Amino acid sequence: MNFQLKFKVNDKLYLKDPEKSEIGKSILKHAIELIFDIGFEHFTFKKLAVKINSTEATIYRYFSSKYKLLTYILNWYWSYLELMCELKTSEIKIPLEKLKKILEIITHYNNSCDEVDDYNIGKLHSIVISESSKSYLVKEVDEISKEMIFGPLESLCQCISDIISEAKPDFAYPVSMASTLLETAHNQHFFSEHLPKLTDNHHKEENKKYVLGYLTHITFNLIK
């Protein structure tokens, strides 16, 4: 069953809340489609305006830059993924089984969390894989971080790290492992699809299956 979601996204990222109007929602939905199709480097508000049959000025009333629009979309995704982690592990009693489910969620294995009506989660996941590092690998990251722009990503990592600690209370690096699992899931998927010689996916396994297998191997050799 599909459902609709609304998350509170840091208001430093927008000038006008896009979730409160149909044109705002259209901006987000078509931005995801366009970034997926042409990549963030080639994405412009002018091209987006054509997609939504509106003007650049309309988009600028919501977002001051394409960087903030991308970061808004990513923050929505991090909040969504955290919710999926909470929902899909809530009935699981065994910590290691919870951790196994977490790995399925962050790799989108079997489309295990693509169940909302709001946006195309499959395309959003592809954007996260290829573009998410561009939101924090910037010169101004320290100043940006002071405004809690990366709060949803940090909250997701904390959620995952809590489950790691539940599975192995004496493990010294639960938060670092949580962020490593997320980044590794993205990097290995990208490499497996585009630069396979940087992976061990020699038999051309389906990318999500390969990444899940790799993450499962490294995780359960540390947490057991």
Side-chain angles (χ1 to χ4, degrees):
M1 181 176 68
N2 285 18
F3 51 93
Q4 294 184 326
L5 298 172
K6 179 172 174 57
F7 299 112
K8 181 173 176 54
V9 178
N10 192 313
D11 59 14
K12 297 289 196 304
L13 288 172
Y14 56 83
L15 302 172
K16 184 178 179 180
D17 189 347
E19 294 284 355
K20 291 185 176 180
S21 71
E22 289 306 312
I23 186 64
K25 292 177 182 178
S26 180
I27 287 170
L28 296 176
K29 180 178 179 179
H30 286 89
I32 291 170
E33 298 285 337
L34 193 55
I35 294 171
F36 173 81
D37 287 340
I38 67 175
F40 186 63
E41 291 86 352
H42 299 291
F43 171 81
T44 66
F45 282 179
K46 183 176 182 179
K47 293 175 181 177
L48 179 57
V50 173
K51 277 280 188 180
I52 64 173
N53 194 29
S54 186
T55 65
E56 288 181 75
T58 297
I59 300 169
Y60 275 112
R61 282 198 284 270
Y62 288 86
F63 295 98
S64 62
S65 69
K66 72 174 192 175
Y67 168 82
K68 288 194 173 182
L69 175 52
L70 173 66
T71 307
Y72 182 104
I73 291 169
L74 294 174
N75 276 6
W76 189 96
Y77 174 83
W78 300 131
S79 296
Y80 165 73
L81 212 62
E82 181 178 359
L83 177 62
M84 291 298 102
C85 289
E86 292 172 349
L87 288 177
K88 291 179 178 290
T89 61
S90 62
E91 300 298 321
I92 301 175
K93 304 301 182 184
I94 302 172
L96 289 177
E97 290 299 314
K98 285 186 181 182
L99 199 49
K100 181 179 178 182
K101 177 58 68 175
I102 291 293
L103 296 182
E104 292 179 0
I105 291 169
I106 67 175
T107 57
H108 288 244
Y109 186 69
N110 285 338
N111 299 317
S112 59
C113 60
D114 297 356
E115 301 172 357
V116 297
D117 289 331
D118 305 66
Y119 309 115
N120 187 314
I121 299 298
K123 290 184 178 180
L124 183 50
H125 180 224
S126 294
I127 291 171
V128 170
I129 289 170
S130 59
E131 314 285 4
S132 63
S133 63
K134 293 169 187 172
S135 72
Y136 53 82
L137 292 182
V138 293
K139 185 70 173 178
E140 304 84 1
V141 62
D142 293 326
E143 289 301 315
I144 296 170
S145 182
K146 289 177 183 177
E147 296 184 332
M148 299 299 292
I149 297 300
F150 306 115
L153 175 57
E154 293 165 350
S155 182
L156 171 61
C157 285
Q158 187 60 55
C159 174
I160 297 172
S161 74
D162 288 344
I163 294 175
I164 293 170
S165 294
E166 188 180 351
K168 190 174 176 62
D170 62 344
F171 187 65
Y173 309 104
V175 178
S176 292
M177 184 173 181
S179 59
T180 296
L181 288 173
L182 279 174
E183 284 301 296
T184 301
H186 302 152
N187 290 339
Q188 286 296 308
H189 188 113
F190 185 88
F191 293 157
S192 181
E193 184 173 356
H194 301 290
L195 298 167
K197 290 184 179 180
L198 297 181
T199 75
D200 294 290
N201 192 7
H202 303 308
H203 303 294
K204 298 188 182 299
E205 290 184 63
E206 197 275 329
N207 297 320
K208 292 177 184 178
K209 179 180 178 182
Y210 170 76
V211 176
L212 176 61
Y214 176 61
L215 291 185
T216 300
H217 176 78
I218 61 175
T219 299
F220 286 91
N221 273 278
L222 285 172
I223 307 297
K224 55 185 177 179

